Amino acid sequence: MKTKWTLDSSQSDVLLKMRRSRTSYLGGTANKFDGYVNIQDNEIEDASVEFSLDLNNKNESFQSIDAYLQLQDFFEEDEHPIVRFKSTSFQKVNQNINFFKGNLTIKDVTRVVELDAEFLGENNYNGQKKLAFEIKGNIKREDFGLDFNSFNHSSGAALGKDIKIIANLEFSI
């Protein structure tokens, strides 16, 4: 039997992280998440994920971090406030190793990226069936025009060349 699970945006989030303390946490309740996973005979058959992150939509703890790091200089969030990912394919290797390929847009630059997807499991919560994935990958920031170069005030070290994307996605039926 085939079942379609939909992405629960209130239980999903994305972390964008770069070496030398530039970290921004963008939670699911403040941003748009969409997607599904098809399960047939207890096996993942097909999956699709889409999310949009509004860099201007922050909570208080993020604002204090942002003021210190001047993240707006890096992402130019006033002109380009939205980061988007839309999967174009899903490849299942085995129970825990899967890949999403898709289009990632940052600062109006779109590139095809491949992200690892780990199936974390399935359980019941308050009578509702849930399953979860963790999606991870690295992108070269210069590929997206994120070439702002500043130095950390404490040690003078330059920013990392990669941005890590970590998405925790929960699906339900």
Side-chain angles (χ1 to χ4, degrees):
M1 182 169 116
K2 184 176 180 178
T3 56
K4 184 174 184 174
W5 300 65
T6 55
L7 186 60
D8 184 347
S9 64
S10 68
Q11 298 298 317
S12 299
D13 58 52
V14 173
L15 174 71
L16 300 177
K17 183 178 178 180
M18 186 173 53
R19 193 189 64 186
R20 300 310 292 166
S21 302
R22 282 197 187 253
T23 302
S24 58
Y25 181 77
L26 302 166
T29 56
N31 295 288
K32 182 181 177 233
F33 290 81
D34 192 20
Y36 66 85
V37 172
N38 283 324
I39 307 283
Q40 182 154 348
D41 300 324
N42 293 323
E43 291 290 325
I44 299 166
E45 179 184 274
D46 188 22
S48 176
V49 171
E50 183 175 348
F51 56 81
S52 300
L53 308 173
D54 185 345
L55 299 174
N56 287 316
N57 194 354
K58 304 174 193 76
N59 61 32
E60 285 181 27
S61 63
F62 182 82
Q63 286 175 349
S64 64
I65 293 169
D66 187 40
Y68 172 71
L69 297 172
Q70 297 180 358
L71 196 59
Q72 68 274 11
D73 292 337
F74 188 69
F75 280 97
E76 297 175 13
E77 63 191 51
D78 290 335
E79 294 87 25
H80 311 284
I82 305 297
V83 172
R84 286 187 174 86
F85 175 78
K86 183 173 183 175
S87 65
T88 55
S89 67
F90 174 79
Q91 179 185 3
K92 180 178 174 30
V93 176
N94 65 36
Q95 180 66 21
N96 287 323
I97 300 173
N98 310 279
F99 299 101
F100 278 107
K101 186 181 271 188
N103 297 314
L104 179 66
T105 303
I106 300 174
K107 286 180 61 175
D108 295 332
V109 175
T110 301
R111 299 276 188 256
V112 175
V113 298
E114 190 171 281
L115 305 174
D116 298 335
E118 180 182 357
F119 177 59
L120 300 176
E122 178 183 340
N123 69 22
N124 286 313
Y125 180 74
N126 284 341
Q128 187 175 29
K129 285 186 174 183
K130 303 269 186 179
L131 59 88
F133 278 93
E134 182 175 71
I135 298 175
K136 296 189 264 187
N138 291 339
I139 60 165
K140 301 273 184 234
R141 65 181 176 93
E142 291 172 350
D143 289 349
F144 294 90
L146 300 172
D147 52 6
F148 176 79
N149 249 339
S150 79
F151 290 88
N152 184 302
H153 297 293
S154 61
S155 66
L159 301 174
K161 293 186 185 265
D162 291 341
I163 292 177
K164 293 179 190 253
I165 299 172
I166 304 167
N168 295 297
L169 305 175
E170 188 173 289
F171 296 83
S172 59
I173 54 173

